[in-house]
Amino acid sequence: MKTLDRYIIRQFVINFIILYVVLMSLFIVVDLIVDLDEFLKGGYNWALHHTVARQADEMGLPVSELTALVESDTHPELIAEKMHLSVEDAVQLIEDSQPGFLMRTMGVFWLVGDYYGPLLVLIYAFFSGLIVVAAMGFTLSGLGRSREMTAMVSSGISLYRVAMPIILAGIVLNTLALPVQEFVVPELAGKLGRKKSNIKNISVDRYAFQYIPDEKGALLTAAKFDPANEQLEGLRIILRENGMQVGFITASTAQWDPDRDGWELFDAYQIVPSTKHLDDIGLDVPGNESIPIDFYATDLSPTLIKTRQDADYVRLLPVSQLQQMQNSEAVPESLKAVVARTKWGRICLLIVNVLILAMGLPYFLLRSPANMMLKSVMAAGMCIGCWAGGMTLPEMASGWLNPVAAAWFPVVVYLPLTAYLLQKVET
């Protein structure tokens, strides 16, 4: 039986790898064709940046300054005047700064890999269950088509015993999604949050936010938030106690310091109420006092800011950060419910994927040859529908169940359905 188990597992794993490569390649090709112009423009910008960087290094100039000149001032006379060059040297500089075909091609391939590489990792974490079911269908269909299934049944082997190595291998492949989701996806979260326009401009969206409360009740406002570098520009903090303003902090820039759990402030000062005694009239006059400040401790981290800006960002975080968000007073209750449902949903999704695999087995565990096309369509309808239900049922149940119960709701629904379908197998 060990030889038979190894044979079935080998066929199953080979089919899984082939399906994953084919489906992901198809996804990349279709998506790339739709937005090919974005990658062509991005490839040109990538090649231009590297070409100008080489030129700037040779001339001893900042890359940003030379890039701005080459991109904005196309007239050699203007560049010659700004850089104190002759017109002939300026013309040569423009020609040397234009990337060639090879550099542009390298830029396109680099951006395609940089964009779709992290995306394929995320797709595996969320869609591995369906790919495992498809691999199971191809494996058992192949065994039936070659009459190997009939031979195993004739020798007295139970169909449940035939399915056991597939279920075990399926559990392993589905379980791999957990470490991928926990350790790999969070490291790629910055790239996974990019849009196609960011690829074209080789940048990350920067945006402003206003009056986000933290655990102390203070309200934070920033003119610009840079998620990639975890920086704030134009930071304003309204300090409050019992809902009343008691102070004010302003800073030109701020950098997140994970070791101290707060923002390191630059060119910053805090304004606090004070009183000044006027000797000539003998009265205390209220006023304000400006105090330099270089750090502000808060739970309002870049992760929490990004999560409040984009609720889907929660799905990219590891359980450790989800637990921190759940315990933070700066997180609103509505977001805490999403965090709790997401955290428990990781385990529930694994169990749902295994149950869906078991649901699909009765359509392929057959004692005699049958119309496999019809069986495959029926299995696809059942498994895809249940997989989609596993994603949507927690959202639907969140209105009348607590977040943890809502996350486990699909498991409760699918357990009896799986048991009913498995008992229909004719062993």
Side-chain angles (χ1 to χ4, degrees):
M1 289 301 295
K2 291 184 179 180
T3 302
L4 180 61
D5 291 342
R6 287 196 296 268
Y7 174 74
I8 294 176
I9 291 175
R10 183 172 66 250
Q11 296 298 111
F12 175 71
V13 173
I14 291 174
N15 285 328
F16 177 86
I17 295 174
I18 293 174
L19 280 169
Y20 181 76
V21 172
V22 170
L23 291 175
M24 295 305 102
S25 300
L26 181 62
F27 166 77
I28 291 176
V29 170
V30 172
D31 191 71
L32 184 60
I33 290 175
V34 172
D35 295 297
L36 183 59
D37 57 331
E38 302 283 352
F39 287 93
L40 291 177
K41 179 62 176 176
Y44 173 81
N45 292 336
W46 182 91
L48 178 64
H49 175 78
H50 284 75
T51 304
V52 172
R54 185 176 64 250
Q55 291 292 113
D57 184 62
E58 294 176 356
M59 301 178 63
L61 294 174
V63 177
S64 58
E65 179 181 341
L66 186 57
T67 301
L69 287 173
V70 172
E71 290 183 341
S72 60
D73 298 329
T74 55
H75 296 289
E77 295 81 4
L78 296 176
I79 294 181
E81 180 181 352
K82 289 186 176 181
M83 301 189 66
H84 307 291
L85 299 173
S86 65
V87 177
E88 292 77 9
D89 290 339
V91 171
Q92 187 64 39
L93 175 62
I94 295 175
E95 293 178 354
D96 293 341
S97 299
Q98 295 304 310
F101 175 78
L102 180 60
M103 283 292 292
R104 295 198 302 270
T105 304
M106 290 175 57
V108 172
F109 277 101
W110 170 265
L111 291 179
V112 168
D114 187 62
Y115 180 78
Y116 288 107
L119 197 57
L120 294 184
V121 175
L122 182 65
I123 289 175
Y124 179 86
F126 282 96
F127 292 94
S128 59
L130 288 181
I131 302 176
V132 166
V133 172
M136 174 273 296
F138 276 96
T139 301
L140 294 182
S141 296
L143 294 176
R145 185 172 56 254
S146 61
R147 300 296 188 269
E148 292 173 291
M149 186 76 74
T150 303
M152 285 185 282
V153 172
S154 300
S155 63
I157 300 176
S158 170
L159 290 179
Y160 290 127
R161 183 62 181 81
V162 174
M164 187 184 71
I166 293 180
I167 293 177
L168 294 178
I171 292 175
V172 172
L173 292 174
N174 280 314
T175 304
L176 286 177
L178 288 180
V180 170
Q181 178 73 63
E182 185 67 16
F183 302 108
V184 181
V185 171
E187 295 296 326
L188 303 173
K191 293 186 176 182
L192 290 170
R194 295 175 300 177
K195 301 176 183 178
K196 291 282 178 37
S197 59
N198 301 139
I199 300 298
K200 178 176 65 176
N201 299 320
I202 317 179
S203 63
V204 177
D205 275 342
R206 301 181 181 185
Y207 49 85
F209 61 83
Q210 292 182 333
Y211 304 117
I212 295 183
D214 65 3
E215 79 284 359
K216 303 175 184 178
L219 299 177
L220 281 76
T221 299
K224 185 180 296 183
F225 170 53
D226 183 354
N229 298 313
E230 297 187 338
Q231 293 179 345
L232 299 176
E233 295 183 13
L235 176 62
R236 303 290 184 270
I237 305 175
I238 299 177
L239 304 176
R240 301 189 302 170
E241 289 183 5
N242 300 321
M244 301 296 292
Q245 180 176 345
V246 295
F248 184 82
I249 295 176
T250 180
S252 60
T253 58
Q255 176 69 50
W256 176 253
D257 187 344
D259 296 329
R260 294 193 290 172
D261 291 329
W263 294 95
E264 184 178 0
L265 307 179
F266 300 92
D267 190 20
Y269 55 90
Q270 179 178 353
I271 299 175
V272 295
S274 64
T275 57
K276 183 177 181 181
H277 183 75
L278 300 180
D279 295 332
D280 52 349
I281 61 175
L283 293 177
D284 292 332
V285 179
N288 294 320
E289 182 181 0
S290 179
I291 303 174
I293 184 172
D294 59 5
F295 186 78
Y296 178 73
T298 178
D299 280 354
L300 194 62
S301 64
T303 298
L304 183 54
I305 295 174
K306 287 182 281 188
T307 303
R308 295 176 69 103
Q309 182 72 16
D310 182 6
D312 290 336
Y313 191 79
V314 174
R315 305 180 186 276
L316 306 179
L317 301 178
V319 172
S320 57
Q321 291 190 17
L322 293 177
Q323 187 63 44
Q324 292 177 2
M325 292 179 62
Q326 200 168 4
N327 297 332
S328 173
E329 297 181 4
V331 179
E333 291 300 324
S334 58
L335 185 55
K336 285 186 177 181
V338 176
V339 169
R341 193 165 63 244
T342 301
K343 183 177 67 173
W344 286 101
R346 302 272 171 86
I347 303 297
C348 297
L349 180 61
L350 169 61
I351 299 175
V352 166
N353 285 337
V354 175
L355 293 177
I356 292 174
L357 175 61
M359 291 180 194
L361 285 171
Y363 295 96
F364 299 97
L365 287 174
L366 305 174
R367 297 176 61 89
S368 57
N371 186 348
M372 297 309 298
M373 179 62 70
L374 178 61
K375 293 290 186 180
S376 299
V377 172
M378 295 171 61
M382 169 65 73
C383 295
I384 294 176
C386 290
W387 178 85
M391 295 292 183
T392 57
L393 283 176
E395 302 288 341
M396 297 171 59
S398 60
W400 48 281
L401 291 175
N402 65 65
V404 178
W408 284 96
F409 186 64
V411 177
V412 176
V413 173
Y414 290 161
L415 273 174
L417 177 59
T418 304
Y420 169 75
L421 291 175
L422 284 177
Q423 62 87 25
K424 295 178 66 177
V425 176
E426 298 178 1
T427 59

